[in-house]
């Protein structure tokens, strides 16, 4: 997964396949996160540590039933896994309840998901089964580069700084007004 990546980055973001699937076919392979849905998440958490700057962070998408911050089966939570791997903090920065349409991949996998994650919360939205989708922010160190830059307002007050994230994104940090020394201006 990381074989063609060189250098270190302030941010690594990924929306990997996260669907638990008992039977993987050519039709659903793009959704499959392995038997438990955590295959790519744990691989990325483990390997990204080597590609993050000391004050960088990892952004991941995940379903809450995968055990993001609480165990939902006999495996440790992804939060605990990240902390054991060497990260310093783990936050859920966004939660969205997603209603499942009949016939969707997630809807079809729901019986298997419930069997794989017996402690998962059963959610409904407008009378339909639902799942909680989350954005995770996992920091290599507790203080990120942006927090450190914002504290040094004299040096950065009149400058614009671009951070190399990957070929997929870039982040620009620049002064926006007198009250705040630095602010995000774009994330593309």
């Amino acid at each position: 997964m990381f074989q063609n990546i060189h250098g270190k980055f302030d941010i690594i973001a990924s929306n990997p396949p996260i669907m638990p699937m008992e039977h993987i076919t050519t039709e659903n392979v793009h959704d499959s996160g392995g038997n438990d849905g955590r295959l790519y998440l744990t691989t990325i958490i483990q390997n990204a540590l080597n590609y993050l700057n000391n004050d960088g962070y990892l952004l991941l998408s995940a379903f809450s039933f995968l055990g993001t911050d609480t165990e939902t089966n006999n495996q440790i939570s992804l939060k605990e896994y990240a902390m054991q791997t060497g990260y310093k903090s783990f936050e859920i920065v966004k939660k969205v309840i997603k209603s499942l349409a009949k016939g969707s991949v997630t809807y079809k996998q729901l019986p298997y998901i419930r069997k794989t994650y017996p402690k998962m919360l059963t959610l409904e939205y407008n009378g339909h089964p639902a799942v909680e989708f989350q954005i995770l922010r996992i920091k290599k160190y507790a203080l990120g580069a942006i927090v450190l830059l914002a504290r040094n307002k004299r040096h950065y007050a009149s400058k614009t700084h671009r951070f190399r994230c990957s070929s997929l994104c870039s982040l620009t940090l620049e002064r926006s007004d007198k009250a705040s020394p630095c602010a995000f201006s774009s994330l593309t």
Side-chain angles (χ1 to χ4, degrees):
M1 186 176 300
F2 284 86
Q3 66 268 16
N4 293 322
I5 306 295
H6 306 286
K8 296 217 176 215
F9 306 94
D10 294 305
I11 300 169
I12 296 174
S14 181
N15 180 18
I18 54 174
M19 186 62 59
M21 292 193 167
E22 188 172 24
H23 304 290
I24 301 168
T25 67
T26 55
E27 290 178 8
N28 65 18
V29 70
H30 65 280
D31 292 318
S32 176
N35 287 336
D36 66 359
R38 293 168 46 134
L39 174 67
Y40 298 110
L41 289 169
T42 55
T43 300
I44 292 167
I45 289 169
Q46 182 177 7
N47 290 298
L49 196 61
N50 299 318
Y51 294 92
L52 284 170
N53 286 322
N54 285 340
D55 40 8
Y57 57 96
L58 174 62
L59 299 173
L60 293 171
S61 60
F63 292 119
S64 63
F65 62 73
L66 295 173
T68 52
D69 62 342
T70 313
E71 292 178 18
T72 52
N73 63 7
N74 61 353
Q75 298 176 342
I76 61 172
S77 69
L78 289 170
K79 178 180 182 175
E80 183 68 23
Y81 182 80
M83 303 311 259
Q84 288 179 8
T85 302
Y87 291 90
K88 300 298 179 201
S89 70
F90 182 103
E91 296 176 85
I92 298 169
V93 295
K94 182 77 175 175
K95 295 180 180 183
V96 177
I97 302 298
K98 180 182 173 188
S99 179
L100 303 178
K102 282 188 177 183
S104 71
V105 174
T106 310
Y107 186 87
K108 290 177 184 175
Q109 293 299 315
L110 208 47
Y112 178 71
I113 293 168
R114 287 188 174 131
K115 183 174 96 177
T116 305
Y117 294 99
K119 298 178 197 172
M120 73 177 269
L121 294 175
T122 301
L123 301 173
E124 282 194 8
Y125 184 76
N126 290 334
H128 299 283
V131 293
E132 184 178 79
F133 184 78
Q134 301 175 338
I135 303 297
L136 313 175
R137 181 170 54 195
I138 309 169
K139 291 187 181 182
K140 187 169 179 181
Y141 288 113
L143 292 177
I146 293 160
V147 174
L148 295 173
L149 290 174
R151 289 183 178 171
N152 193 349
K153 66 173 135 180
R154 283 195 187 133
H155 182 71
Y156 293 101
S158 63
K159 297 183 178 183
T160 297
H161 299 277
R162 287 193 76 70
F163 295 93
R164 192 175 108 208
C165 301
S166 74
S167 61
L168 301 177
C169 75
S170 66
L171 174 68
T172 301
L173 183 67
E174 67 182 2
R175 181 170 167 69
S176 62
D177 62 16
K178 292 180 182 178
S180 173
C182 296
F184 291 111
S185 64
S186 68
L187 181 60
T188 56

